[in-house]
Amino acid sequence: MKILVVDRSAEGQTRIARVIENFDPADRDMLDLVVALASEQDYASKLDESDVLVFGPGVEGDLPELARSAKSTNPDIHMIAFISSGSYSSGTFRAAHNAKVRKVIPDSSSPLDLLQELVAIHEHYRTNGRMTEGRIVSIIQAKGGVGATTLAAALGKICSEHGRRTLLCDMDIESRDLSRALQASGPQEQMVSGWIKGSAPLTRETLRQAMIPLTDRLSLLPPPADLTAGMDFMGNPDHVALMQHLSDLMRVTHDCVLVDMAGRMGCGTGALLRSSDSIILLIDDSLLGLSGTASFLKTIYPLIKNKIETLKIICSSSVMRRREILSVINQTVAIPETCWIEEGYPADPAAETWPGTGNTLFESGQKSTKRSLVEIAVGAGLISRRVAVDIDARRSWLDLFSRSRREVVEAAAVNGAGR
């Protein structure tokens, strides 16, 4: 949020700015606080680019007039006023509230009073859509080989292609499949290890430093550099707060976050599952696949039972019907049919060959595969139906353009050979 501090003197402006700067770094990161300073003579020109206006006690005599003027310029702005302890009275804050000041705080109050108000304002903006939060989708599997890494990479590409700031998060601490498939590695892994070992703080800036850029809108967060730190991150209860802080930061810095869980379950990943907006469970309908799925769902059910609607099941095979599969699973855990994504996981030879090519299955696969992947993105809540139609139309146009261009080139080659 952008905060404009207004006071008569530069000293008064700076004092309030320092209160904000001394908030816990995690709180500043989550609220994305940016502070600007102004006097009562020049504050009006900065109102349109501000979310919160904080008046210092130096302007308390002109507070009602300044507040009314600010509200007429920017009706959506929230205003907070500091006044001297000697002036703090029912008459003072009634006059301020009549001028649409949200909160009047005595100058001697705790900084937490200001922080509490800023948190409430941020939540108001978020609820009303003025400040959006990203969507976290965790991709899990009951057994390996069902295509979770392939799906994560493809969905990441779909989201980024439509202008969404997208982060792929590789939680495979052993084989690092997603990172290897996308040929993403580097010193950034040391930063992730630093968070876990306590040698580096987890902040918005260090999160940026830890990400490996793949395109201008798509990045990857690699696993920690060493296996010991990774195991600690996943399974040590002491790191649950760190994992929660990471998920909160990823949500406010990106529009879409896709987590390849790689079947890793522990205290940390459990916290991440609880904070996910959608959980995609990839299954197959083999005998071991279904029994493994039932057992896996029984294990994670306590984590998701209060948000079962976030679970989205995709089958990577189509031998058995949906109701047959659910009837087997429901003998162990009751899963509603609404958790099923109608579009099945596409069977495509390119699913075996895309890793290391610089492309994902979304680019390498057949046309029907691309459409299925877009439908899965819609079912997981990553993109809207309208966006899906736009993507399909754009892809069709690009296919037509590419085909026409190829035909022109081939015709020119034939004509050249004829001469």
Side-chain angles (χ1 to χ4, degrees), residues 35-196:
V35 179
L37 308 179
S39 68
E40 72 269 35
Q41 282 81 30
D42 60 4
Y43 82 106
S45 61
K46 301 178 181 180
L47 285 173
D48 286 339
E49 56 191 41
S50 302
D51 301 306
V52 182
L53 179 59
V54 178
F55 293 108
V59 297
E60 64 182 42
D62 299 320
L63 178 60
E65 181 182 349
L66 292 172
R68 289 191 185 93
S69 176
K71 203 68 174 176
S72 65
T73 301
N74 184 352
D76 295 326
I77 202 166
H78 286 256
M79 297 181 290
I80 301 170
F82 281 96
I83 62 172
S84 60
S85 298
S87 301
Y88 190 69
S89 65
S90 60
T92 302
F93 55 70
R94 271 202 302 269
H97 289 164
N98 287 337
K100 308 302 181 184
V101 173
R102 176 189 177 101
K103 183 74 173 180
V104 176
I105 303 175
D107 195 27
S108 58
S109 65
S110 165
L112 290 177
D113 291 337
L114 175 59
L115 177 59
Q116 180 179 359
E117 208 58 37
L118 293 177
V119 169
I121 293 171
H122 184 273
E123 179 62 19
H124 171 82
Y125 280 143
R126 189 193 64 79
T127 303
N128 288 278
R130 178 165 170 173
M131 294 180 178
T132 59
E133 286 189 337
R135 190 172 184 83
I136 297 179
V137 175
S138 291
I139 301 174
I140 59 177
Q141 58 197 36
K143 60 185 286 290
V146 292
T149 297
T150 297
L151 181 61
L155 292 178
K157 188 64 177 179
I158 290 171
C159 295
S160 65
E161 275 208 354
H162 205 74
R164 313 271 288 174
R165 297 168 301 166
T166 306
L167 179 64
L168 293 169
C169 184
D170 188 354
M171 288 288 176
D172 190 343
I173 59 174
E174 294 175 356
S175 61
R176 316 163 79 85
D177 283 351
L178 185 58
S179 300
R180 289 189 300 108
L182 295 171
Q183 298 179 312
S185 62
Q188 292 91 338
E189 299 166 2
Q190 297 292 341
M191 180 63 77
V192 181
S193 293
W195 300 336
I196 301 166

Side-chain angles (χ1 to χ4, degrees), residues 347-359:
D348 193 311
E352 302 294 331
T353 59
W354 73 268
T357 65
N359 293 320

